[in-house]
Amino acid sequence: MASRPERLLRGGDSPLSASFLELFFDLAFVLALSQLAAHLLHDLSVAGALHTALLLTGVWWIWVTTTWFADWYDPESPAVRWLLVGSALGSLLTGVAIPQALDGRGLLFAGAYVSVHIARGVVTAVGLRGHPRQIRTLRILCWFSVSAVPWLAGGFLPQWRVPLWLLALALDLTGPRLRWPTPGMGRTRREELHLAGEHFAERYQQIMIIALGELVLVAGLSYAGTDLHFPQTVAFLLVFATAVLIGLLYVTPAGQRLGPAIERADPAWLGVITGYLHLVMIAGLVVTAVGAELSIAHPMETGDTTAVLVILSGPTLFLVGRILFSAAIHRRLSWPRVAALVVLAAAAAVLRLPLVVVSAVATGVALAVVVLDHAGIGSYRHRAGA
C-alpha cells in the first residue's frame, strides 16, 4: 500500500489526459487574456506594450507552473484538487486586477500571484514529509519566497512597481532553467524534473485553443458592434481566416510532436524553453486580437501607423515564437516562415493603406506559409518535421 506522501505524487498508471480541474483552471485564463487585450488597446504606446507584456508574463507563469504541478502530482488527490481550485481563483484575481495593476490594484495582482505559488509550495512540502521528493518542493518554495519580496514590495510602492516586478519575474523565470539552486540543498536533479510529454503537449494545445478562442471572440464582438457593412464584414472574415491559419501553423507538425520531444529531451532545457516560446506565441495572439478590433471597427481608416504596426505585429510575434519552437525541437528552420517575417516587417514599414487591406496582407502571408508548409517546401517536413 502506498504511503501518504506517495499518494500525493502522480503514479505511473495515472491518466495522461488533462483532468477536469485543469480545464477548469484554464477558464481563468480567458478573463486574463481579455483584460490584457483591453489593456493594450487602451494604451498602444511602447510603454503600454511593455506594461502589457509584464502583466502577461506574470499571468502566464502561473499557468506554466500550475501545469508542471499537475504533471508531477496526482490529479485525484484531494490536496491537488484544492490547489488547482485555488490556482484558478488566484488567476481569476490577477485578471480582475489587470486593468489597474500598475495603479490602484497592484497589491491585488501581486498578492494573488504570490499566494498561488506559496500555497502550492507549502501544502506539497508538508504533504511530502519524509519523502525524497520533498527537497524538490522546498527548493522551488525557497525561490518563490525570495521573489515574493519584490512582488509584494512593488504592490506597496507604485513608483517602484515596474522595476521590482521585473526583478521578481527574472527570478521566477530563471529558477527552473537553473534547476532552482538553493543554499544547503543544491540543485534539483534532472530526473526529478521529468515531464510526461503526452500530458504536457496536450496542455499546450488546450491553452493555445483558449488563446485562439479569445481572438475569435474579439472578432465576433467587434463585428457585432458595427453596422455589418461590407468593409466590416471583409475585415471580420479576414480575422477569422487568420485565426484558422494560426491554428494550423501551430499544430503542423511540431505542435503534434512536442510530447515525444519532451520525453527524449532534458526537461530542464526543453520543458522550460517551451514555456518561454509559448509565451511569445500567446503574446502574438493577444496583439492579433487588438489588431482585429482595430481593423473591424475602422476598416477603411488610412494612415494610422500605430494601427498598422499592431495588425502586423501580432502574426509576426506568433511566427517568431513558432519558428523558435521548431528550432528548439528539431534544430531546423522553416525558410518560408523566416521569409514571412521579412515580408511582414517590410509591410509594416511601407504600408499606409486602409486597415482592412493591411489585415488582408497579414492573412495572405499566413496563408502562404501554411500552403508552403503543406507542400513541404523549405520546411524539412518530410525529413525532420520542422
Side-chain angles (χ1 to χ4, degrees):
M1 186 176 183
S3 64
R4 184 172 180 178
E6 285 286 353
R7 291 200 297 270
L8 189 63
L9 297 168
R10 179 184 283 270
D13 57 346
S14 297
L16 294 178
S17 58
S19 67
F20 171 80
L21 284 177
E22 287 180 85
L23 299 177
F24 178 80
F25 163 72
D26 286 351
L27 293 179
F29 206 67
V30 175
L31 173 65
L33 288 176
S34 178
Q35 295 279 60
L36 287 162
H39 187 274
L40 179 58
L41 183 64
H42 179 71
D43 183 2
L44 291 174
S45 66
V46 173
L50 294 175
H51 290 163
T52 303
L54 171 65
L55 298 174
L56 170 61
T57 304
V59 172
W60 175 248
W61 211 240
I62 293 178
W63 187 89
V64 170
T65 53
T66 301
T67 300
W68 288 342
F69 166 77
D71 193 79
W72 289 338
Y73 297 94
D74 185 359
E76 298 302 316
S77 166
V80 173
R81 288 181 173 183
W82 282 111
L83 285 170
L84 286 172
V85 171
S87 296
L89 177 59
S91 296
L92 197 61
L93 290 174
T94 59
V96 170
I98 282 171
Q100 296 178 306
L102 298 175
D103 296 311
R105 294 183 180 174
L107 190 58
L108 175 61
F109 186 92
Y113 178 94
V114 168
S115 296
V116 169
H117 297 301
I118 298 299
R120 181 194 302 138
V122 169
V123 171
T124 51
V126 171
L128 290 172
R129 282 195 311 270
H131 192 279
R133 284 288 188 266
Q134 186 189 39
I135 194 71
R136 177 186 66 186
T137 299
L138 290 174
R139 291 190 191 99
I140 298 172
L141 178 58
C142 284
W143 272 73
F144 277 122
S145 297
V146 171
S147 71
V149 176
W151 272 116
L152 295 176
F156 283 107
L157 301 170
Q159 66 274 26
W160 291 98
R161 185 164 296 162
V162 172
L164 284 169
W165 284 6
L166 285 173
L167 171 62
L169 277 175
L171 291 169
D172 289 342
L173 269 65
T174 57
R177 183 69 186 90
L178 300 174
R179 291 185 282 134
W180 294 287
T182 307
M185 290 185 280
R187 296 173 186 263
T188 300
R189 297 192 305 274
R190 296 183 188 279
E191 58 269 23
E192 293 179 307
L193 297 175
H194 178 264
L195 298 168
E198 182 181 335
H199 174 255
F200 227 63
E202 179 187 3
R203 294 295 291 128
Y204 274 126
Q205 289 181 10
Q206 288 162 350
I207 202 61
M208 289 299 294
I209 287 294
I210 292 287
L212 284 168
E214 167 60 17
L215 172 57
V216 172
L217 179 64
V218 166
L221 291 176
S222 299
Y223 183 51
T226 69
D227 296 324
L228 309 186
H229 291 161
F230 181 72
Q232 287 96 346
T233 301
V234 172
F236 166 72
L237 292 175
L238 285 170
V239 172
F240 179 78
T242 299
V244 173
L245 292 168
I246 286 176
L248 292 175
L249 282 171
Y250 177 77
V251 299
T252 308
Q256 296 174 332
R257 299 180 181 177
L258 177 59
I262 289 178
E263 291 286 355
R264 293 192 305 267
D266 173 8
W269 181 78
L270 187 58
V272 176
I273 291 297
T274 52
Y276 299 158
L277 297 181
H278 277 79
L279 170 60
V280 178
M281 289 187 276
I282 294 288
L285 289 174
V286 170
V287 178
T288 302
V290 175
E293 190 159 349
L294 293 172
S295 65
I296 294 171
H298 311 286
M300 302 309 296
E301 186 172 309
T302 304
D304 189 335
T305 304
T306 300
V308 169
L309 288 174
V310 170
I311 292 170
L312 296 175
S313 294
T316 300
L317 265 177
F318 175 82
L319 273 175
V320 168
R322 185 61 181 79
I323 289 168
L324 295 176
F325 181 42
S326 284
I329 294 177
H330 300 293
R331 308 295 177 124
R332 303 277 186 172
L333 286 178
S334 166
W335 295 113
R337 296 173 197 164
V338 175
L341 289 182
V342 176
V343 172
L344 288 170
V350 302
L351 284 185
R352 295 298 176 265
L353 298 172
L355 297 185
V356 66
V357 178
V358 177
S359 183
V361 170
T363 305
V365 169
L367 176 61
V369 175
V370 169
V371 170
L372 292 173
D373 272 1
H374 183 73
I377 298 175
S379 67
Y380 299 97
R381 179 180 178 186
H382 299 297
R383 284 175 287 168

